[in-house]
Amino acid sequence: MLKTTTALMTATTLLAAPAFAGNVQEPVAEPVIATPVAPPAPTSPNWTGFYGGGQIGYGDVDTSAAGVEGDGLIGGVIAGYDYDFGNNWVVGAGLDYDFADIDLGGAASLEEVFRAKARAGYKIGNGLLYGTGGYAWADTDTFGDDDGYFVGAGYEHMVTENVSLGGEVLYHQFDDFGTSGADVDATTVQARASFRF
């Protein structure tokens, strides 16, 4: 019986030995490699919506009549609507009304300018670089008023979600202006500020 018990214990010990083999330290977990998360792509502001504001700047008026020309301060109010296509292109329409007191060599004085405009532009970050053109109407104190057209370009930058600042250069053409019989061209350079709704 003793021999059987000894043999049984030896067999049990030999079979259990692999269970106790190995290192006494805790197993080391495999490192987890985190996939880097790409930062979100920068987004430009959405220009869709109505806006209103003001502009002020300089106007230079020249005519085909000798000595009838002048320059001076011009400024007024602006309003319009832009549509952002979401692919960096923006189109819009607007109205400008400017007051002026530009003396045209003592012969007349330019008093006001109205514009109905279309514009199309490309977004650059928080800014919009655009071209514009449309209908223009101008009024003087002695030569009456006349219809014409204008073309130009500008840049507008979103300062906050609702406020934009910019500048615009426009060239105006009026053929056979009012009672003067002279052709008139005018260039305006203006700074603009808008509140966007």
Side-chain angles (χ1 to χ4, degrees):
M1 174 92 176
L2 185 56
K3 286 183 182 181
T4 305
T5 304
T6 303
L8 190 55
M9 286 181 64
T10 302
T12 304
T13 304
L14 288 173
L15 290 173
F20 295 109
N23 200 338
V24 292
Q25 294 181 351
E26 291 277 329
V28 178
E30 289 291 320
V32 176
I33 300 172
T35 305
V37 177
T43 59
S44 59
N46 186 342
W47 291 79
T48 298
F50 290 97
Y51 64 86
Q55 61 186 6
I56 190 164
Y58 167 81
D60 180 42
V61 181
D62 193 17
T63 75
S64 60
V68 182
E69 59 185 40
D71 58 13
L73 190 66
I74 188 169
V77 295
I78 60 174
Y81 180 83
D82 287 323
Y83 181 77
D84 190 331
F85 285 97
N87 60 357
N88 288 332
W89 290 99
V90 176
V91 296
L95 302 173
D96 298 355
Y97 183 78
D98 284 330
F99 302 97
D101 188 17
I102 299 176
D103 180 25
L104 302 177
S109 178
L110 177 64
E111 296 189 332
E112 53 190 332
V113 178
F114 170 79
R115 299 174 204 90
K117 58 175 39 173
R119 75 175 182 173
Y122 189 79
K123 295 192 295 186
I124 303 170
N126 286 355
L128 179 67
L129 183 64
Y130 64 89
T132 184
Y135 166 81
W137 171 84
D139 187 34
T140 65
D141 61 346
T142 57
F143 293 149
D145 62 335
D146 202 4
D147 301 317
Y149 70 90
F150 74 93
V151 294
Y155 176 79
E156 196 168 345
H157 191 86
M158 286 277 202
V159 179
T160 69
E161 186 177 331
N162 298 103
V163 176
S164 62
L165 301 175
E168 194 172 75
V169 178
L170 302 177
Y171 170 79
H172 306 71
Q173 179 68 50
F174 302 92
D175 296 328
D176 193 20
F177 193 96
T179 61
S180 72
D183 294 337
V184 176
D185 63 74
T187 302
T188 58
V189 179
Q190 293 183 285
R192 300 160 53 95
S194 301
F195 183 81
R196 308 189 74 84
F197 302 95

